[in-house]
Amino acid sequence: MSSRLAAVLVVLFAPVIARAQPLADRVPANAIVYIGWRGSADLGPGYPESNLKAVLDDSNVPDFVDRFLPEVIDKLGQMNPDAGQVGQIVATIARPTWQHPTAFFFAGLTLDQHKEPVPHLGIIWEPGRDADSLAKQLHQLVDQAQTPFPVKVVQQDSIVALIVGYTDPESAIAGRITKPLAGDATFKATNAHLGVKDAVAAAYIDYERLFGMIDDLIKSSGEREPQTMWPKVRDDLGLQSLKRLAAASGFDGKDYGTEVFLQSPEPRSGILKLVGDKPLGDEILAAIPQTVTTAGAGRFDSAGLFDLIRRLAADLDPQAAREFDRFFDSISSDSGVDVRRDLLASVGDAWAFFADPTIGGRGLASLTIVNRLKDPAKFEDSMARIEDYALKQLQKEAGAAGANLPVTIKFDTVKIEDMTIHYLAVPLVAPCWVVRDGNLYVSLFPQVAAGAARHGAEKGPSILKNEAFTALRTRLGQQNPTGFSFEDLPKTAPDAYGAWLLISRLPGFADLFGVKSPPLLMPELPKLMAHLSPAGSVTWVDAQGFHSKGIEPFPGSTLVASDPAVSALYAEPMLISLLLPSLNRAREQANRVKSASNLRQIGLGAMMYANENQGQFPADLATMVKKEDLGPSVFIDPRSGTAPPPPGNVDAMAQWVEEHSDYVWLGKGKNANKVTPETVLAHEKLEGNTEGINVLFGDGHVEFMNIPEAQRAIERAKPGAKVDGNP
């Protein structure tokens, strides 16, 4: 049963994982999502002269797909019948999906009589001679599977379709009684912004229908919280300005091009406003050296993202917003830096990245990020203060943990000529930054940051002098884009080739089990190089929305020209180095959450006790051990390192809690019917908790408060204080 259901899921979503094709004339007009794939048997008039065909002719990729994979599936079936059954189904589906026109569509969700969601979607094939075989296999699959909603197979004219969620599956296929998506005026108008001819693949998303569906589902659910929250989230993110997305790709001469149009008319808000609509200035482009092999640039407002997150937090949960403010207020208080006003506001919205082998060698080591700062002096001062603050926090946590291993993690500086480079002193990599002539440079090594900053300061030849880049930009037709990407594949491919040869031999494991693997899955390097050229894309923004246009020698060429071994070599140590400062913080956060959970359990136990004692809270924590069956672990703050008590009876446990509990009980003498949400009932001990403590309040909620704020709340809760109407 589980294997059959898994097979259904594989069949449903395989076309999404793969690439898809037009057939929009058979997709219903009310489709919210559409993906179409032309099929490898006929990739259009541009294929015979394309780089893709030449590379495939020089490789064993066709043999890999047509012979090797079916033989592997047969071998798996011999070794494992269950896997073989699923494999045969996938093979039967995969072949027509790969070879013939295929389309996937999603037309929304509705709620059934039990208010359970029912999807309306389908996969449509035009499989030619394989139609009867495909329909037969699909019928067998559907007959064996058990699904909570209708799943039907339809064979109509030259079409075979797997339709989900429709009581009348024939109506889900356009052409006879249903209007096609291809004839929809909105669909046509959106795709008119694309210039791809004879598209090999296409995609379309109608965001207005998608968000309308979400509105209807939330309204039909009858649940008040989603009805309140969803409009706030939608408006904060600016989703109401999202209309539709259209994308298409196909052959452009010998190369392969892709265009995307995201319809989002002005005015825009929320997340869409964070992406600037101004063309990139010469200042940021001048920071990218002429000799780069990989580069990109764009606009993004980091301060605006901070504001958006704060606004979302406030709308979703006022308590979360208070925690957000409290966290950044504590940073401001301890460091003297207002993160929003001093740090993020000094960062510009123009960003770039590049890898230049003449500065940092080949591979990830040379990766550099550049930002054109608004206020360089304020940024340098703020970052230095934040580093000092972070270092103090790391030292506090290391000291509180009493680590057996004397590990020291710190920020340091190094002078290279007239540059002061700040870096994180950890093994393998040294993430660093430097400001020079108004630009911020961030790299993995001080040597690379220094080289990049020196090039920018000396006004060395920039990417605007790179002939491959300027020719590509001219071809793409945007001289003043808001963003771009560039990869000089002829220069990067030779370094990547060896690693891809190793990967291409992974199918060789099949040789050990009697299935001959393709010996030349990768073409010879000279033959591959003959079909490589620079790849890249440009983006621009107008009153109607966001546009993107890209070109590459053949699909997947940018991946083949990127060295996976180099990425793997640097990824792990880089992640370890970057995460080391966060490990203690993560542990602290986890312990803080566990401690808050303990206080909530104490609060619940106190409420249960009060319900049985005319509203009076227990006099001490030991009473809750005896009367409410709370174990001693509830009274241990995981941040304190307190050891649990030895086994004993209830009285012994109660005595231990009274003497060793990490929590202070202030509920003695208070009445549950008189306390307010501001009444403090219990809190973590102040000793040893320098950042703050968790505090339990009268309505059962727990807040993490900085020490001065917590002390004021505790003082108000002491006997004799005029608060909450209690003695």
Side-chain angles (χ1 to χ4, degrees):
M1 171 61 189
S2 60
S3 64
R4 290 195 296 271
L5 182 57
V8 171
L9 294 175
V10 169
V11 171
L12 288 179
F13 294 103
V16 182
I17 298 171
R19 305 185 72 170
Q21 175 252 321
L23 268 184
D25 59 330
R26 305 312 299 269
V27 171
N30 66 339
I32 295 174
V33 177
Y34 152 74
I35 305 172
W37 156 243
R38 186 176 185 124
S40 62
D42 178 15
L43 291 174
Y47 176 69
E49 303 299 324
S50 68
N51 291 317
L52 176 61
K53 183 180 185 302
V55 169
L56 292 178
D57 288 346
D58 288 334
S59 72
N60 291 152
V61 172
D63 179 59
F64 179 86
V65 175
D66 296 334
R67 177 197 59 83
F68 176 71
L69 289 181
E71 289 186 11
V72 168
I73 291 172
D74 288 340
K75 178 61 70 172
L76 287 175
Q78 297 170 20
M79 299 172 64
N80 185 328
D82 287 339
Q85 180 184 10
V86 174
Q88 287 298 331
I89 294 171
V90 172
T92 302
I93 300 302
R95 181 177 177 182
T97 300
W98 171 249
Q99 293 185 343
H100 302 295
T102 306
F104 166 84
F105 74 87
F106 170 69
L109 292 169
T110 58
L111 299 180
D112 62 16
Q113 57 182 349
H114 305 294
K115 291 194 174 182
E116 294 294 329
V118 176
H120 298 273
L121 55 87
I123 306 171
I124 302 173
W125 293 271
E126 194 173 26
R129 292 177 297 177
D130 295 327
D132 291 340
S133 173
L134 175 61
K136 181 179 178 181
Q137 288 287 344
L138 289 175
H139 276 296
Q140 292 177 356
L141 175 63
V142 170
D143 290 343
Q144 294 174 2
Q146 298 179 13
T147 59
F149 33 76
V151 180
K152 302 292 183 182
V153 178
V154 176
Q155 190 170 4
Q156 182 187 104
D157 303 329
S158 60
I159 297 298
V160 175
L162 184 66
I163 304 299
V164 177
Y166 290 83
T167 55
D168 178 15
E170 295 276 349
S171 66
I173 302 178
R176 292 184 180 178
I177 60 176
T178 303
K179 292 183 179 180
L181 181 64
D184 181 76
T186 302
F187 176 81
K188 291 192 291 185
T190 307
N191 279 275
H193 290 269
L194 306 178
V196 176
K197 297 180 179 179
D198 300 313
V200 173
Y204 175 74
I205 302 175
D206 191 326
Y207 289 107
E208 282 190 327
R209 285 178 175 162
L210 177 62
F211 298 142
M213 177 199 73
I214 296 174
D215 291 341
D216 292 341
L217 287 174
I218 290 176
K219 184 177 180 180
S220 300
S221 71
E223 298 182 13
R224 295 182 59 185
E225 185 174 0
Q227 292 180 14
T228 302
M229 293 299 179
W230 162 242
K232 294 180 180 179
V233 171
R234 181 194 61 208
D235 294 345
D236 285 344
L237 293 176
L239 301 181
Q240 68 274 17
S241 62
L242 269 179
K243 303 303 179 183
R244 278 156 288 275
L245 179 142
S249 62
F251 295 101
D252 185 341
K254 290 186 176 183
D255 299 322
Y256 195 80
T258 301
E259 294 188 31
V260 179
F261 170 60
L262 177 62
Q263 186 181 16
S264 177
E266 296 176 335
R268 306 178 187 102
S269 61
I271 197 167
L272 294 174
K273 199 171 182 179
L274 301 181
V275 183
D277 56 4
K278 295 185 300 181
L280 291 168
D282 289 343
E283 296 88 352
I284 194 69
L285 296 177
I288 305 175
Q290 178 184 12
T291 48
V292 295
T293 55
T294 300
R299 291 191 177 276
F300 187 80
D301 182 4
S302 55
L305 178 61
F306 182 94
D307 296 337
L308 177 61
I309 294 173
R310 172 61 179 80
R311 190 160 60 249
L312 272 171
D315 283 342
L316 291 174
D317 183 0
Q319 176 61 27
R322 288 193 291 270
E323 289 291 335
F324 184 93
D325 291 338
R326 188 177 292 118
F327 174 74
F328 285 102
D329 286 346
S330 68
I331 293 178
S332 177
S333 175
D334 294 341
S335 68
V337 175
D338 185 304
V339 173
R340 169 63 175 84
R341 186 182 64 242
D342 298 331
L343 184 63
L344 296 180
S346 65
V347 175
D349 68 345
W351 297 82
F353 70 89
F354 62 83
D356 187 341
T358 69
I359 291 178
R362 301 188 184 277
L364 190 63
S366 66
L367 180 65
T368 303
I369 297 173
V370 186
N371 178 263
R372 184 66 181 172
L373 295 170
K374 291 180 180 178
D375 191 333
K378 179 174 285 188
F379 177 85
E380 284 195 271
D381 178 68
S382 299
M383 272 299 295
R385 291 171 181 266
I386 289 294
E387 285 179 356
D388 290 340
Y389 166 79
L391 181 59
K392 290 177 182 177
Q393 299 308 307
L394 289 171
Q395 292 172 341
K396 287 179 182 178
E397 292 175 12
N404 295 323
L405 185 64
V407 174
T408 300
I409 300 173
K410 66 175 183 177
F411 294 93
D412 211 334
T413 61
V414 60
K415 290 285 290 187
I416 299 180
E417 298 169 3
D418 59 342
M419 292 177 283
T420 300
I421 300 178
H422 299 246
Y423 69 97
L424 181 63
V426 291
L428 302 178
V429 296
C432 58
W433 63 271
V434 62
V435 174
R436 187 82 181 268
D437 285 1
N439 286 335
L440 165 69
Y441 298 86
V442 181
S443 297
L444 294 177
F445 302 95
Q447 300 93 323
V448 178
R454 185 183 300 110
H455 174 275
E458 294 175 355
K459 310 300 182 186
S462 77
I463 193 172
L464 295 174
K465 298 292 185 180
N466 184 308
E467 293 181 0
F469 170 74
T470 55
L472 183 68
R473 191 168 64 162
T474 299
R475 181 176 178 183
L476 293 174
Q478 281 293 323
Q479 295 302 308
N480 296 296
T482 58
F484 74 86
S485 67
F486 170 71
E487 294 182 70
D488 198 336
L489 304 187
K491 292 183 178 179
T492 59
D495 297 310
Y497 186 73
W500 281 110
L501 282 180
L502 294 174
I503 293 174
S504 73
R505 284 307 303 155
L506 289 177
F509 281 106
D511 289 289
L512 303 178
F513 296 93
V515 179
K516 179 179 173 57
S517 64
L520 301 174
L521 197 56
M522 289 283 294
E524 298 173 41
L525 181 58
K527 294 181 179 180
L528 178 65
M529 293 292 292
H531 304 292
L532 288 179
S533 57
S537 65
V538 292
T539 58
W540 67 98
V541 183
D542 59 22
Q544 293 302 310
F546 301 83
H547 304 257
S548 174
K549 185 176 182 180
I551 198 79
E552 59 181 322
F554 54 87
S557 57
T558 55
L559 180 65
V560 171
S562 301
D563 191 343
V566 171
S567 299
L569 176 66
Y570 284 101
E572 185 172 344
M574 180 180 67
L575 287 174
I576 292 173
S577 299
L578 293 177
L579 286 175
L580 275 173
S582 304
L583 293 179
N584 282 333
R585 171 67 64 182
R587 180 181 59 194
E588 168 70 12
Q589 286 293 114
N591 289 338
R592 186 184 295 177
V593 170
K594 178 62 172 65
S595 182
S597 175
N598 288 347
L599 278 171
R600 291 189 188 95
Q601 292 185 62
I602 292 171
L604 180 60
M607 291 295 181
M608 295 174 64
Y609 179 91
N611 289 338
E612 299 170 355
N613 292 274
Q614 299 179 336
Q616 287 299 124
F617 284 124
D620 50 41
L621 297 176
T623 301
M624 281 186 268
V625 178
K626 295 179 179 179
K627 299 297 184 181
E628 301 303 329
D629 197 27
L630 291 181
S633 62
V634 175
F635 302 92
I636 298 176
D637 182 350
R639 298 196 293 162
S640 68
T642 300
N649 58 30
V650 173
D651 289 336
M653 293 298 101
Q655 181 66 28
W656 184 90
V657 167
E658 187 63 26
E659 295 175 356
H660 300 284
S661 173
D662 292 320
Y663 302 103
V664 178
W665 176 246
L666 300 179
K668 180 180 179 180
K670 290 183 170 62
N671 190 290
N673 299 320
K674 295 182 180 179
V675 297
T676 71
E678 289 75 32
T679 303
V680 176
L681 295 181
H683 61 84
E684 296 173 326
K685 289 182 177 179
L686 293 166
E687 296 81 6
N689 291 321
T690 56
E691 283 194 359
I693 60 172
N694 283 305
V695 179
L696 170 68
F697 289 90
D699 61 353
H701 84 276
V702 175
E703 284 188 34
F704 186 82
M705 310 176 75
N706 60 46
I707 296 300
E709 187 179 11
Q711 287 176 327
R712 289 192 294 270
I714 292 168
E715 286 298 319
R716 292 195 299 268
K718 288 183 177 179
K722 296 180 179 180
V723 63
D724 304 326
N726 294 296

